[in-house]
Amino acid sequence: MSAYSYSSREDLDEYTVKIMEIIETVLIAMASSLDVEPNSFTDQVGKRPTLLTRFNFYPPCSTPHLVLGLKEHSDGSAITILLLDKQVEGLQLRKDDQWYRVPVPAIADSLLLVIGEQAEVMSNGIFKSSIHRAVTNSERQRISLVCFCCPEKDIEIKPIEGLIDEKRPRLFKSVKNYLETYFQNYQKGRRPVDGLRI
Ligand SMILES: O=C(O)CCC(=O)C(=O)O
Ligand SMILES: [Fe+2]
């Protein structure tokens, strides 16, 4: 076995509580980096966001050149926190039509923060949701633990007022319950965030 020994519901519960604290800190830091009210992102995420949490398990694959572990996508969350496998690489990020490998973390148990599509909308396109995929390999299984922070579904997600001006006009329409259409779009290889562009 390569990665984790989460043995109980309590461990996962404790982990996700800490992840939520980290996410809140990050959202406040994102606001201050853009010179807007500290609660600009947290207000849109709401007091009771959903932290969708999933273990991804990628078994060894005899034809890794033909089979992806997870196809190209960006996350429908506001923010995603990934705990990568400690030994086996597999995540790749796309930039300008080129794929870049994400190495096994140099520091054990470090977390990878991924901007999701809803933070792209809130930041009026300043923070870009990252396009990524997971590849397979023929030798070793791989596990990742992913937490998607998803805003309360009844809150309207929209570009923060202070990030709209003549130089940077509003780029996105408002949306509620983002995840409702996320997976339908995903199956068709589309990103809901692109459908929200004005
Ligand atoms: O397994 C990974 O490294 C990536 C997982 C991922 O992108 C996802 O679950 O959305
Ligand atoms: Fe992802």
Side-chain angles (χ1 to χ4, degrees):
M1 270 293 291
S2 60
Y4 310 109
S5 56
Y6 282 117
S7 53
S8 70
R9 188 180 283 255
E10 286 75 28
D11 286 345
L12 196 55
D13 191 44
E14 194 184 327
Y15 179 76
T16 52
V17 167
K18 290 196 172 131
I19 290 291
M20 268 322 300
E21 287 169 13
I22 293 171
I23 288 174
E24 194 182 343
T25 306
V26 168
L27 290 170
I28 291 169
M30 283 164 62
S32 79
S33 78
L34 298 176
D35 252 344
V36 292
E37 290 293 313
N39 55 350
S40 299
F41 287 94
T42 47
D43 278 356
Q44 292 202 40
V45 165
K47 289 203 166 18
R48 293 183 55 81
T50 302
L51 194 70
L52 280 175
T53 299
R54 170 171 87 205
F55 285 92
N56 291 312
F57 175 66
Y58 308 96
C61 171
S62 56
T63 51
H65 55 294
L66 297 175
V67 181
L68 285 171
L70 207 50
K71 72 172 183 175
E72 165 177 350
H73 66 283
S74 46
D75 296 340
S77 57
I79 296 277
T80 302
I81 303 269
L82 262 164
L83 181 61
L84 293 175
D85 195 288
K86 290 182 177 61
Q87 294 169 12
V88 184
E89 182 183 303
L91 178 63
Q92 297 187 342
L93 299 179
R94 199 184 83 189
K95 186 168 185 294
D96 305 330
D97 290 333
Q98 176 114 8
W99 287 101
Y100 295 89
R101 292 156 46 198
V102 177
V104 167
I107 304 170
D109 298 327
S110 53
L111 299 170
L112 181 71
L113 194 148
V114 177
I115 298 286
E117 295 173 12
Q118 298 195 60
E120 180 164 347
V121 172
M122 293 176 206
S123 70
N124 201 24
I126 295 174
F127 291 119
K128 306 260 183 299
S129 53
S130 89
I131 296 185
H132 53 282
R133 68 181 183 184
V135 296
T136 52
N137 77 81
S138 56
E139 306 294 323
R140 302 181 68 183
Q141 67 180 36
R142 176 172 177 269
I143 298 174
S144 62
L145 173 56
V146 60
C147 297
F148 303 98
C149 172
C150 303
E152 279 179 43
K153 64 180 173 39
D154 295 330
I155 296 183
E156 198 165 57
I157 302 302
K158 53 179 188 254
I160 293 163
E161 281 300 328
L163 301 175
I164 304 172
D165 58 27
E166 310 84 66
K167 286 211 202 92
R168 173 170 280 274
R170 179 174 177 155
L171 291 185
F172 299 103
K173 296 177 211 151
S174 306
V175 61
K176 276 187 188 173
N177 199 0
Y178 196 91
L179 288 190
E180 191 177 42
T181 58
Y182 178 81
F183 288 106
Q184 291 158 15
N185 279 275
Y186 180 86
Q187 301 305 346
K188 294 177 186 150
R190 293 195 210 122
R191 305 187 324 140
V193 68
D194 292 329
L196 289 174
R197 281 180 199 280
I198 292 174

